[in-house]
Amino acid sequence: MTAPERSRPLVRTARRGRPDPRTPNGNAPFGSRRPGVRDRVFSAALRPTAAVWWLFGLRQSAATVRHYYRRGGGELVVAPEGPLATAPFRRVADRHLEEWRDLAVARWRRSGGVEREFDTTTNWHGVRIGKGDDLDWWLALRGLQYRMTGRLDIDPGEDAAEDARVRVVYEVEIYKDWGFDKGEDEYGLSFTPLARLHEAGLAREYRVVGRSRPLVWTAPTTKGSPGAAGMPAGDRR
């Protein structure tokens, strides 16, 4: 009879986050009221808007709007590597990775070098992609929820302490309740008429979900510039 595998210590980020990524709005249920003339005008305008965005290379935003006006209500799967490449998302992801590194290295040193492998995780956190960060992802998602999980290994090097390095193989999950909030606006555009399309049954809110491939992040055990941040596992040179 083989001995059970020893579980690795778990490293969590200090930032609390949320256990549940859902962010429902206060809109009435789908199709709960009769559509009016203004609703039909806004609904008709969504189709050419999506077509123009697609022609101008805004493929992600066109896809999300099309999913809205097609009224299926099913999940839309998005590869997280796209939004993760934007500056605000990459910045918060690197912060989690650096925090994992610092916490794991502290435990490694306290254990006298015995603890070298760790599981890593975060709760769900929010990040906002602005218009100036990436126009396509701003139009497609604006804000989203994310969670990171992975495994961290410490390579102590041969002899010198400065050779010690940290390697994290991690995955990123994303989630968004895609819809419009009544009473809100951005850049002078009111979201209320768009939100009312869901209530009138002319468009339908849905969930955006996605899970990345395994990504690799490496760094020295002391604070410094990371290497190969966010590269797919096996793709490092």
Side-chain angles (χ1 to χ4, degrees):
M1 184 175 181
T2 59
E5 183 181 352
R6 184 174 65 88
S7 61
R8 293 182 291 271
L10 181 66
V11 172
R12 295 179 178 270
T13 54
R15 285 168 288 162
R16 183 172 298 176
R18 300 189 304 121
D20 188 342
R22 291 175 294 178
T23 55
N25 57 37
N27 295 344
F30 170 74
S32 58
R33 66 175 187 83
R34 292 174 61 86
V37 174
R38 192 178 184 190
D39 297 321
R40 297 189 185 282
V41 169
F42 268 91
S43 175
L46 289 181
R47 288 162 173 75
T49 297
V52 169
W53 285 355
W54 180 270
L55 288 174
F56 278 89
L58 303 174
R59 304 298 170 85
Q60 303 298 330
S61 46
T64 55
V65 169
R66 283 174 176 165
H67 204 72
Y68 187 53
Y69 71 62
R70 285 173 177 167
R71 298 181 289 178
E75 292 181 344
L76 178 66
V77 179
V78 170
E81 289 88 341
L84 182 60
T86 64
F89 201 170
R90 184 70 260 170
R91 192 159 48 242
V92 296
D94 284 344
R95 242 184 260 135
H96 286 295
L97 292 163
E98 290 164 3
E99 189 172 17
W100 282 345
R101 185 261 321 269
D102 294 344
L103 293 170
V105 167
R107 292 177 63 168
W108 169 60
R109 287 175 175 154
R110 283 198 304 269
S111 73
V114 175
E115 291 187 346
R116 291 169 44 188
E117 298 178 354
F118 302 86
D119 287 324
T120 55
T121 188
T122 70
N123 268 338
W124 289 94
H125 296 264
V127 63
R128 187 183 187 283
I129 300 170
K131 180 180 180 181
D133 300 313
D134 187 293
L135 180 59
D136 196 12
W137 285 115
W138 170 68
L139 289 168
L141 299 176
R142 294 189 307 279
L144 58 92
Q145 305 295 311
Y146 71 91
R147 177 171 66 180
M148 295 169 57
T149 55
R151 172 174 172 168
L152 183 151
D153 298 285
I154 298 175
D155 180 0
E158 295 181 0
D159 294 308
E162 58 267 27
D163 290 337
R165 293 190 66 79
V166 169
R167 182 176 187 267
V168 185
V169 179
Y170 67 102
E171 296 180 356
V172 179
E173 296 172 81
I174 61 172
Y175 179 95
K176 179 181 177 66
D177 287 303
W178 203 100
F180 296 93
D181 295 300
K182 289 190 295 186
E184 292 192 5
D185 64 85
E186 194 158 350
Y187 295 102
L189 173 65
S190 172
F191 292 160
T192 298
L194 295 166
R196 288 173 62 86
L197 296 182
H198 168 81
E199 299 176 341
L202 299 177
R204 190 165 193 167
E205 296 170 356
Y206 59 91
R207 296 182 296 177
V208 175
V209 298
R211 189 181 188 97
S212 74
R213 296 170 292 162
L215 306 171
V216 176
W217 184 89
T218 63
T221 54
T222 55
K223 292 182 179 180
S225 298
M231 296 184 67
D235 284 6
R236 290 196 306 151
R237 298 291 184 264

